[in-house]
Amino acid sequence: MFPSQLTIRDLPIRPATILAPMAGVTDTVFRRVIRSLGACGLIMTEFTSAEGLTRNSARTLKYLYFGEDEHPIAAQIFGADPKVMASAAALTEDLGFDHVDINLGCPVKKVVKCGGSGLLRDLPQLEKLLSAVRAAVRIPLTIKIRSGWDENNIVAVAVAKMAEQIGIEAIAIHPRTRMQGYAGSADWSVIRDVKQAVRIPVIGNGDIHTPQDAVRMVQETGCDAVMIGRAASSNPWIFRQIADYLATGRYDEPTETDRYHLLAGYFRDLIAAEMPDAMGKMKQFASLFTHGVRNGAELRYSVHHANSSADILGCVDAFFNKVTAPSAD
């Protein structure tokens, strides 16, 4: 049975589905796209540098901008210094986030050097960091981890037990190792092992591509909620599809018109928000989003070679006008 809601302390998350934090993707504009489509219980910010936050870097602070209509929303931060992480977490509380999450899963080299999945190699240091952050905030505190550094160092259960003792209130697990990156398959048995080892809520993440996958993860692991990242960037409707599938046993795929309205609307919102990197985000999202679109390679090519945001919008309009036009008899 798929859980009807996830509860983190006294924060009800309904339905029990979460948009994973994704660097360069889950900004306020994309999160509002997800919110507008419905059926996503919790959204999360891009992972954000604790060092940047404590230096009051304007560039870093923009990652934590959110609107009131985005609640419930969690801020995700990363870093390796307990004092700096504690200060950054306290800032997220001051900013009004519903809870704060610590990134212990990012496999990117420059992040591993100062946090992310790199902390899975040093559990005593991780314990100090989690304890410092727990003491610094009153709002719920959660973590997101990988299964371990490599296949010879699977530490998810040990980290989960430690986190529970410190007062961490939920744990999300992407059951690939840092060395796997995003290759190979996620080992869902690690999620099951963690669920059996702790009493705090366990959130499953990794290799959920369809509503059926989400249901199967819950069945196989007993997890309390599912978290979806990459699949949501190419199919933002997936949360609505999960809700429909649970309610009726079926779900609809977006039409070409649905795709056009979402893509064009997202791009226009990026421009209206005066995102400094709007054009780069447009090109990135077009690449992710159009793999499900008929003749999508044509649109990806034209967007990639466009020279301005207005040109990109023109490419989108022209492409979908052609693919949605009624065929001649």
Side-chain angles (χ1 to χ4, degrees):
M1 178 66 73
F2 199 92
S4 59
Q5 76 173 44
L6 166 69
T7 303
I8 299 177
R9 196 196 295 173
D10 55 357
L11 176 65
I13 296 166
R14 189 182 305 112
T17 52
I18 302 169
L19 173 66
M22 291 179 282
V25 177
T26 52
D27 57 33
T28 183
V29 180
F30 183 78
R31 295 193 305 261
R32 283 174 162 157
V33 168
I34 295 296
R35 276 277 179 254
S36 72
L37 295 171
C40 179
L42 175 70
I43 54 179
M44 303 184 77
T45 68
E46 302 175 67
F47 76 142
T48 306
S49 164
E51 291 282 353
L53 289 176
T54 56
R55 291 196 301 267
N56 289 318
S57 164
R59 178 180 174 83
T60 304
L61 281 168
K62 77 179 179 65
Y63 293 125
L64 294 186
Y65 171 80
F66 70 95
E68 286 302 309
D69 57 346
E70 295 185 55
H71 288 289
I73 181 171
Q76 194 189 63
I77 59 175
F78 75 91
D81 184 297
K83 290 182 179 179
V84 173
M85 285 288 285
S87 295
L91 176 60
T92 70
E93 181 172 346
D94 292 343
L95 290 173
F97 283 94
D98 296 294
H99 83 263
V100 59
D101 184 82
I102 298 174
N103 181 300
L104 302 173
C106 182
V108 176
K109 285 184 179 180
K110 67 179 181 180
V111 174
V112 166
K113 292 177 181 177
C114 57
S117 58
L119 287 165
L120 300 178
R121 293 176 294 183
D122 188 348
L123 298 195
Q125 176 65 15
L126 177 58
E127 183 174 14
K128 292 177 184 177
L129 185 148
L130 295 180
S131 297
V133 177
R134 177 67 286 172
V137 295
R138 297 181 300 274
I139 57 176
L141 175 61
T142 64
I143 60 176
K144 183 175 187 290
I145 71 170
R146 290 250 169 174
S147 55
W149 182 256
D150 57 33
E151 62 182 11
N152 296 316
N153 295 278
I154 304 300
V155 297
V157 169
V159 171
K161 287 181 175 179
M162 175 205 301
E164 183 175 44
Q165 291 176 349
I166 290 169
I168 307 304
E169 289 157 283
I171 179 170
I173 304 152
H174 181 144
R176 283 182 171 88
T177 66
R178 185 271 168 181
M179 297 305 291
Q180 274 184 279
Y182 293 98
S185 298
D187 182 0
W188 289 359
S189 69
V190 175
I191 302 172
R192 182 195 63 220
D193 293 344
V194 171
K195 176 59 184 172
Q196 293 174 353
V198 296
R199 293 184 299 276
I200 59 175
V202 173
I203 300 156
N205 173 232
D207 290 358
I208 296 176
H209 306 292
T210 66
Q212 293 93 325
D213 291 335
V215 171
R216 185 166 57 86
M217 177 181 276
V218 171
Q219 291 173 340
E220 293 183 9
T221 71
C223 64
D224 300 285
V226 297
M227 176 181 283
I228 302 173
R230 288 177 294 165
S233 63
S234 57
N235 175 22
W237 294 270
I238 191 167
F239 298 103
R240 170 54 58 193
Q241 290 174 336
I242 291 171
D244 290 345
Y245 181 69
L246 291 172
T248 68
R250 62 178 300 276
Y251 59 92
D252 294 325
E253 295 289 349
T255 65
E256 300 289 5
T257 300
D258 292 333
R259 291 183 179 277
Y260 167 63
H261 286 307
L262 187 142
L263 188 60
Y266 172 59
F267 286 179
R268 289 187 171 91
D269 288 345
L270 279 174
I271 294 170
E274 297 182 346
M275 292 278 188
D277 51 351
M279 197 167 147
K281 285 179 176 289
M282 287 177 168
K283 291 187 176 184
Q284 177 192 31
F285 191 67
S287 178
L288 294 168
F289 184 75
T290 55
H291 283 283
V293 176
R294 179 163 44 96
N295 298 322
E298 178 185 330
L299 178 57
R300 289 193 293 277
Y301 179 86
S302 61
V303 166
H304 179 73
H305 288 85
N307 294 315
S308 69
S309 297
D311 287 345
I312 291 176
L313 275 174
C315 292
V316 171
D317 289 342
F319 176 83
F320 280 99
N321 282 339
K322 182 166 64 175
V323 300
T324 60
S327 58
D329 292 332

